[in-house]
Amino acid sequence: DRKLTVEDFGGPDFEGCNENLNLTRPDVIADIHRKYFEAGADIAETNSFGSTPLVLGEFALSAKAYEISRRSAEIAREVADEFATPERPRWVAASIGPTTKAISVTGGITFKELIGHFAEQARGLYDGGSDYFLIETCQDTRNIKAAILAIQDLQKGFPAAERLPIAVVIGAMVPSKNWPTSAPKMRTPNARPHRMASFAAASAPSRSSDGSDSAKPAAHASASAPVRSPRSNSSTVWRRSGSCGSG
């Protein structure tokens, strides 16, 4: 209902950059999180789907990728803590989108460069107080692999209690006898889209220059909420001394 204007986004050059609203209109983002919790949600996603330097570069905001990512997590964390109770905690999922490049489809970026972009985003999301990383809407498995490796590199050397889980959202196709015979050719016969599910990415992908080698399968998968306690402002068990970013 808010009818945002060009000024809300920070000016004509930034219109349509929803991630920049974390800096220019944090109240709008906080209100969206609040409405989800009021409706009964247990988890809020950060407003960081496109907060990598790669995507923000389209708005000349690459240098603010860490700040925007961190702020997105801080806003979600603050609102989650408003609704959290000992009996019913609330979590913050650090949203990581696929970027605007896919190595196998669009090209235009190397696997190593992609890891670097995800790393900058992940640092901000971690420092902002997220509970777990949520890699979503990727159509190229090498993008997913790059994001996982970036997060693993970030948390390398962290105490086990301070490492955040990684989740990957996938869309699956399952067989069905009820799929219409007139289905579009692009779809597999006798198959239809299955519901989305979140899987805990317990995989440890091996590294190569182009990301072409396949990741090891996850040892565990779950569509449930994180099992650890949230990183609330009152709980310092998650916090490292200092931050892992310089922004």
Side-chain angles (χ1 to χ4, degrees), residues 2 9 25 58 69 129 229:
R2 281 185 182 268
F9 286 95
R25 290 298 306 273
E58 298 177 3
S69 298
S229 299

Side-chain angles (χ1 to χ4, degrees), residues 33-87:
H33 292 318
R34 196 169 287 112
K35 289 185 184 302
Y36 273 96
F37 284 125
E38 288 173 348
D42 292 312
I43 302 171
E45 282 192 39
T46 57
N47 179 37
S48 58
F49 186 82
S51 68
T52 55
L54 176 62
V55 178
L56 291 176
E58 298 177 3
F59 299 92
L61 289 171
S62 294
K64 290 191 173 184
Y66 170 84
E67 180 185 3
I68 289 173
S69 298
R70 185 192 65 199
R71 192 71 188 107
S72 73
E74 289 173 344
I75 296 167
R77 174 83 277 147
E78 290 164 7
V79 179
D81 288 348
E82 289 178 16
F83 288 83
T85 65
E87 295 74 26

Side-chain angles (χ1 to χ4, degrees), residues 17-20 22 46-70 72 94-102 109 112-125 133-136 138 143-144 146-148 150-151:
C17 183
N18 294 325
E19 291 77 13
N20 200 43
N22 294 318
T46 57
N47 179 37
S48 58
F49 186 82
S51 68
T52 55
L54 176 62
V55 178
L56 291 176
E58 298 177 3
F59 299 92
L61 289 171
S62 294
K64 290 191 173 184
Y66 170 84
E67 180 185 3
I68 289 173
S69 298
R70 185 192 65 199
S72 73
S95 174
I96 296 178
T99 78
T100 52
K101 302 287 185 182
I109 192 169
K112 184 177 180 180
E113 289 171 341
L114 202 52
I115 291 176
H117 287 290
F118 282 126
E120 186 74 355
Q121 180 185 37
R123 288 193 307 126
L125 293 169
F133 294 102
L134 179 62
I135 303 169
E136 55 179 330
C138 287
N143 281 50
I144 296 174
I148 292 175
I151 296 169

Side-chain angles (χ1 to χ4, degrees), residues 36-218:
Y36 273 96
F37 284 125
E38 288 173 348
D42 292 312
I43 302 171
E45 282 192 39
T46 57
N47 179 37
S48 58
F49 186 82
S51 68
T52 55
L54 176 62
V55 178
L56 291 176
E58 298 177 3
F59 299 92
L61 289 171
S62 294
K64 290 191 173 184
Y66 170 84
E67 180 185 3
I68 289 173
S69 298
R70 185 192 65 199
R71 192 71 188 107
S72 73
E74 289 173 344
I75 296 167
R77 174 83 277 147
E78 290 164 7
V79 179
D81 288 348
E82 289 178 16
F83 288 83
T85 65
E87 295 74 26
R88 187 179 177 185
R90 299 295 194 275
W91 288 276
V92 173
S95 174
I96 296 178
T99 78
T100 52
K101 302 287 185 182
I103 296 176
S104 302
V105 182
T106 66
I109 192 169
T110 67
F111 186 64
K112 184 177 180 180
E113 289 171 341
L114 202 52
I115 291 176
H117 287 290
F118 282 126
E120 186 74 355
Q121 180 185 37
R123 288 193 307 126
L125 293 169
Y126 183 97
D127 285 346
S130 299
D131 292 308
Y132 68 102
F133 294 102
L134 179 62
I135 303 169
E136 55 179 330
T137 325
C138 287
Q139 290 142 356
D140 190 329
T141 55
R142 283 190 280 182
N143 281 50
I144 296 174
K145 182 176 178 181
I148 292 175
L149 287 173
I151 296 169
Q152 289 178 336
D153 286 347
L154 168 70
Q155 301 192 114
K156 191 180 299 179
F158 286 13
E162 296 179 7
R163 297 174 193 160
L164 305 187
I166 305 171
V168 177
V169 175
I170 64 171
M173 302 290 286
V174 294
S176 172
K177 294 181 179 179
N178 299 322
W179 187 253
T181 55
S182 59
K185 294 181 180 180
M186 64 191 305
R187 292 182 173 177
T188 305
N190 300 321
R192 64 181 177 183
H194 190 45
R195 65 180 178 84
M196 299 299 288
S198 297
F199 288 84
S203 60
S206 52
R207 189 186 299 267
S208 69
S209 60
D210 64 354
S212 57
D213 52 330
S214 59
K216 297 176 183 178

